[in-house]
Amino acid sequence: MSLTGIKAGASPRGFLSSPQDAGGLRSWIFSTDHKRIGLLYLACILTLFAAGVALGLIMRLKLITPGNDLLAPQTYNAVFTVHGVIMIFLVVIPSIPASFGNILLPLHIGAEDVSFPRLNLFSWWLYLTGAVVALVSIFTGSGAPDTGWTFYVPFSERTTTNVSVAVMAVFILGFSSILTGLNFITTIHQLRAPGMTWRRLSLFVWSLYATAWVQVLATPILGITVLLVFAERVLNLGLFDPGRGGDPLLYQHLFWIYSHPAVYIMILPAMGVISDIIPVFARKRIFGYNMIAFSSLTIASVGSLVWAHHMFTSGMSDLAVLVFSFLTFIVAVPSAIKIFNWLSTLYKGSIIVEPPLLFTLGFIWMFSVGGLTGLIQGAAGADIHVHDTYFIVAHFHYVIFGGTGLGMFAAMHFWFPKIFGRMYNRRTAAAAFWIILLGMNVLYFPMFILGLMGMPRRYYDYPAQFAQGQLISTVGSWILAMGLALMFYNLYAGVRRGAAAGPNPWGAATLEWTLPSPPPSGNFAEIPEVEKGPYDFAPDPRHD
Amino acid sequence: MIEAHKDYAGAKLGMWLFLFTEVVLFGGLFLLYSAYLHRYHLDFHHAARNLDTFLGGANTIILITSSFFMAMSITALQLGRRGRCLGLLALTVLMALGFLANKAIEWWAKFEHGIFPGSEHLRALPQGEEIFYSLYFAMTGLHGIHVLLGVGILSFVMILVRRGRVRQEDFVILENSGLYWHLVDLIWIFLFPLFYLIT
Ligand SMILES: [Cu+2]
């Protein structure tokens, strides 16, 4: 269709403008252009992110004082469940790979598109279907699901809420995620431009590669697990029903065999973004390229062996606890390697502070706090104390929101001029960053303390000794919301009225910056010959 | 619409990745099977004696033969003998339908004895026997769905071969469908001993 239709320079708005005969919505939702599909994902993800944030704000508002009855108890259960399901399966899992991965992967390796463009479009349609089914599960039947995003049995088998529909949504979304992973692996193997050796891949591509393997190998386990929950409810199998000889612990194992590796689906692409941004704004080659690429693969492989650290209090042999605790500590090492490499890249670089770098530094701070507190839970002894408390909630919001979220915002600010050909207001972007960072820490840090004091997660109400921390946390949620609103407004204004950005405003060295902004529909007029690495910068024009 | 590039190796790689995901999907069920076999091996032994090894064995032979025809149909197309390829594909589909019919008879007999998920009869049995049957229905059921999908895929490929979309010079779709069919076959080759023989 439009894949090879227009070549470079045909239009100043590149892939954003449709050919005359096929404009409008149809030219987007049936487009096989990876950049258009990526933008479709981005639009859906951000919309659902807004919905998830709104639910989070409502939850925080309800928890502002003890005894508050803004929400009925059952509604509260539904709100935290739907918040989790939306944020995990519809926002964070697809986040960077489906949006920026789709837009940038072919550009980074010098290809025309991904290996299977139509399959790529099909993945997006599956994603959309999954989102619709998830919405159906909220608004139909006898009430929105109230199990928490983990769908733990036996409660998920017995509750009368709409769990059957919700797990089918998760199944469809998993399928979408698998197909994206499959497409990316094949693309990276088959479509690298001449001269684009494995050691010249950008670290973002390396992270997508590691992520794609996790998507392909771990997601089917989630598929079968949620199918079983569905079958338990609809066909009455009883495989997890303790009253009939089933074992709920086996459900937990199956669930976490996917859902621990899933956190690497969430975080690895963000790490890739960070690895690509830091050298650009330090004007220095990345420190330890091999180690960063290798650590992505290590995280992906060792990360599939640590799932049972979610189950230290569920009942396991002491030996199993010991082994899983040990492996959890091991898997922290490659993440630490990345942090050291990023900091070493900044060391003695000629640093230019621009919004993408700010978000990147925010990532490093938030991820370090989240990662180190993760080890507290990975230590079997300490975990007994903090298990299922606010400490966990704080930890994974630091990692997932502070990590993946800020990583995604960094990507948005870094590639914005490439995708839209315009520049946002950089001072406003910086201001939004500081408000967001402040809001996140005020929102989530008190939760560490509340957790250590013994406040359990998912509880509807709490005694007075937790009131102060809960209040501070709610105030933090307001600060964060203001920061987010400012950031999105600024980006929106940039799309509308931003000044022309030019092909390479940051002076970066990866291939997408050799194209006009926005890139034309068929990407490269001819497939490039690659002769240098992704971080071999030209002399800085700003220092001339 | 024609694909922008024809990439034989890429198409095969993508298919193998997809097959991995199928193996892992069933892997979750095999994991449950092994955990419960370990816990209830005596109950599994008793329950399995009620399964009809003859029917199961017949189905095994049907599937292996169908895989053979599948492979032959690919070779036939590679040699440019389209009619023979179509005939062999039709035979494969027919055997798949035979497998499903056989499976239906087997399930139906179980239902008549009051053996189906959640039935009164099963609940009266020792817990391990009920678990055995739940696994039996879940695993052969999921496999049956895959056989059914295979029927659909192979019929679709037959249409493509007839229309010349899949032909001697460009047969990767047929080959990939064959890979899928062999996997479905292979999964049954594991299911058969687990339910009918080893317990
Ligand atoms: Cu984990």
Side-chain angles (χ1 to χ4, degrees):
Chain A
M1 212 157 64
S2 61
L3 206 73
T4 48
I6 327 167
K7 286 293 181 187
S11 155
R13 300 294 293 150
F15 76 99
L16 293 175
S17 61
S18 307
Q20 292 296 329
D21 52 328
L25 188 64
R26 287 173 54 89
S27 76
W28 283 86
I29 61 175
F30 298 119
S31 169
T32 52
D33 183 338
H34 64 99
K35 302 180 290 301
R36 287 201 162 194
I37 295 174
L39 271 187
L40 286 176
Y41 268 115
L42 187 63
C44 296
I45 289 165
L46 292 180
T47 309
L48 287 156
F49 174 70
V53 168
L55 290 170
L57 285 171
I58 293 172
M59 237 186 313
R60 280 315 321 162
L61 193 61
K62 185 259 159 270
L63 290 165
I64 188 168
T65 51
N68 182 311
D69 60 357
L70 176 72
L71 301 173
Q74 181 63 26
T75 316
Y76 176 78
N77 291 348
V79 168
F80 73 66
T81 301
V82 174
H83 170 80
V85 170
I86 289 182
M87 286 304 209
I88 295 286
F89 296 111
L90 287 161
V91 177
V92 181
I93 293 273
S95 62
I96 295 176
S99 61
F100 291 100
N102 255 318
I103 296 173
L104 292 160
L105 170 60
L107 297 177
H108 269 204
I109 63 173
E112 203 174 13
D113 205 312
V114 290
S115 271
F116 310 113
R118 281 185 296 171
L119 189 69
N120 201 19
L121 178 65
F122 180 61
S123 308
W124 179 75
W125 276 98
L126 276 179
Y127 171 78
L128 194 69
T129 312
V132 170
V133 175
L135 288 180
V136 166
S137 81
I138 298 170
F139 294 112
T140 64
S142 45
D146 59 347
T147 57
W149 75 278
T150 47
F151 300 115
Y152 263 25
V153 295
F155 180 66
S156 62
E157 293 178 4
R158 306 228 171 113
T159 175
T160 56
T161 55
N162 227 352
V163 169
S164 307
V165 181
V167 292
M168 285 323 285
V170 172
F171 180 80
I172 296 168
L173 291 168
F175 201 20
S176 161
S177 174
I178 287 173
L179 293 181
T180 301
L182 184 157
N183 217 336
F184 283 8
I185 294 175
T186 313
T187 307
I188 295 169
H189 275 275
Q190 296 298 120
L191 297 186
R192 283 171 289 125
M196 180 54 81
T197 59
W198 285 88
R199 295 194 50 200
R200 282 182 184 159
L201 290 179
S202 70
L203 287 165
F204 181 52
V205 170
W206 268 110
S207 76
L208 288 175
Y209 184 68
T211 307
W213 275 107
V214 183
Q215 283 175 296
V216 166
L217 292 180
T219 316
I221 287 281
L222 174 75
I224 193 65
T225 310
V226 294
L227 269 188
L228 280 169
V229 172
F230 183 81
E232 293 279 293
R233 290 176 63 85
V234 176
L235 305 175
N236 203 4
L237 285 181
L239 282 174
F240 298 130
D241 184 345
R244 293 162 64 190
D247 188 346
L249 269 191
L250 287 174
Y251 172 86
Q252 293 188 21
H253 277 293
L254 284 179
F255 182 81
W256 290 113
I257 286 176
Y258 165 74
S259 293
H260 184 79
V263 308
Y264 301 119
I265 300 178
M266 305 177 198
I267 198 71
L268 275 172
M271 290 171 155
V273 170
I274 302 311
S275 308
D276 263 20
I277 290 180
I278 284 189
V280 173
F281 295 95
R283 311 305 309 173
K284 229 179 103 187
R285 213 183 266 220
I286 188 91
F287 181 87
Y289 174 93
N290 291 337
M291 282 315 285
I292 295 183
F294 178 68
S295 65
S296 288
L297 298 179
T298 319
I299 289 175
S301 48
V302 182
S304 58
L305 301 173
V306 303
W307 74 86
H309 62 209
H310 296 267
M311 300 167 57
F312 287 158
T313 62
S314 303
M316 272 193 302
S317 72
D318 286 350
L319 179 66
V321 171
L322 201 72
V323 169
F324 280 107
S325 183
F326 176 73
L327 287 170
T328 303
F329 274 75
I330 296 291
V331 80
V333 173
S335 296
I337 288 177
K338 283 185 198 279
I339 303 247
F340 286 122
N341 279 316
W342 294 329
L343 296 181
S344 309
T345 307
L346 288 171
Y347 180 66
K348 288 194 172 169
S350 20
I351 295 173
I352 306 142
V353 182
E354 293 279 6
L357 185 69
L358 285 176
F359 281 101
T360 296
L361 298 177
F363 170 99
I364 295 179
W365 164 254
M366 296 298 285
F367 181 76
S368 301
V369 174
L372 290 171
T373 51
L375 286 178
I376 295 175
Q377 297 147 59
D383 182 65
I384 306 296
H385 182 62
V386 296
H387 181 85
D388 246 351
T389 66
Y390 269 39
F391 194 87
I392 308 289
V393 182
H395 155 73
F396 67 66
H397 280 88
Y398 263 84
V399 176
I400 300 303
F401 198 2
T404 309
L406 286 184
M408 175 128 177
F409 299 160
M412 277 160 53
H413 285 84
F414 184 55
W415 281 299
F416 183 96
K418 175 50 60 190
I419 294 170
F420 296 103
R422 294 175 196 264
M423 188 57 89
Y424 46 84
N425 183 323
R426 301 190 213 180
R427 292 181 64 172
T428 316
F433 162 75
W434 287 111
I435 300 173
I436 288 173
L437 189 70
L438 177 73
M440 275 184 180
N441 284 285
V442 176
L443 167 55
Y444 298 121
F445 200 83
M447 292 190 185
F448 281 125
I449 297 161
L450 288 170
L452 287 175
M453 288 164 68
M455 172 78 212
R457 69 193 280 202
R458 292 176 174 168
Y459 271 32
Y460 177 68
D461 206 354
Y462 53 86
Q465 74 254 35
F466 300 122
Q468 198 185 15
Q470 294 274 14
L471 175 67
I472 297 173
S473 177
T474 301
V475 172
S477 75
W478 299 335
I479 301 174
L480 177 59
M482 283 189 312
L484 289 173
L486 183 63
M487 180 183 78
F488 283 116
Y489 168 76
N490 184 41
L491 291 176
Y492 175 76
V495 175
R496 292 267 136 202
R497 302 183 290 276
N504 191 3
W506 313 122
T510 36
L511 282 178
E512 77 273 30
W513 303 101
T514 62
L515 291 170
S517 311
S521 285
N523 295 353
F524 303 92
E526 50 196 78
I527 295 300
E529 287 269 355
V530 182
E531 275 151 7
K532 62 187 185 67
Y535 309 110
D536 295 337
F537 297 102
D540 188 351
R542 284 165 296 189
H543 289 188
D544 290 345
Chain B
M1 194 172 77
I2 298 157
E3 287 289 52
H5 42 254
K6 286 281 174 205
D7 179 2
Y8 176 77
K12 292 292 284 288
L13 176 60
M15 191 63 200
W16 278 104
L17 288 170
F18 177 71
L19 295 183
F20 279 152
T21 70
E22 289 280 16
V23 170
V24 179
L25 184 83
F26 276 92
L29 287 170
F30 283 116
L31 210 65
L32 286 185
Y33 180 95
S34 56
Y36 285 130
L37 175 66
H38 179 69
R39 190 170 306 176
Y40 299 117
H41 55 274
L42 253 180
D43 288 344
F44 270 42
H45 176 67
H46 292 304
R49 277 200 295 209
N50 294 326
L51 291 187
D52 192 329
T53 311
F54 176 75
L55 281 182
N59 256 351
T60 309
I61 292 168
I62 291 178
L63 269 196
I64 291 180
T65 318
S66 80
S67 250
F68 180 62
F69 288 145
M70 181 71 231
M72 279 174 68
S73 83
I74 299 172
T75 313
L77 192 69
Q78 282 169 331
L79 295 174
R81 304 183 61 175
R82 202 169 70 160
R84 172 178 277 239
C85 164
L86 281 170
L88 285 162
L89 274 178
L91 219 55
T92 311
V93 170
L94 224 61
M95 302 199 84
L97 291 172
F99 175 92
L100 286 172
N102 200 350
K103 194 90 245 167
I105 294 170
E106 201 184 338
W107 274 32
W108 187 248
K110 290 279 164 292
F111 292 166
E112 295 226 297
H113 286 91
I115 297 176
F116 53 86
S119 70
E120 297 282 315
H121 178 78
L122 275 186
R123 296 217 182 189
L125 293 175
Q127 288 185 333
E129 296 200 26
E130 191 186 355
I131 292 283
F132 176 86
Y133 277 110
S134 286
L135 281 170
Y136 166 76
F137 285 114
M139 294 176 84
T140 59
L142 188 65
H143 178 259
I145 293 173
H146 278 78
V147 174
L148 202 62
L149 284 174
V151 170
I153 291 170
L154 294 180
S155 310
F156 182 66
V157 173
M158 280 172 71
I159 298 175
L160 292 182
V161 174
R162 277 185 76 113
R163 290 197 187 150
R165 271 287 308 273
V166 172
R167 53 188 184 274
Q168 189 178 9
E169 312 80 49
D170 181 14
F171 53 85
V172 71
I173 295 179
L174 177 67
E175 207 177 16
N176 277 345
S177 315
L179 282 176
Y180 172 82
W181 189 248
H182 296 322
L183 182 83
V184 171
D185 188 3
L186 193 66
I187 289 169
W188 177 257
I189 292 187
F190 280 89
L191 291 180
F192 175 59
L194 286 184
F195 285 105
Y196 296 82
L197 301 179
I198 64 164
T199 54

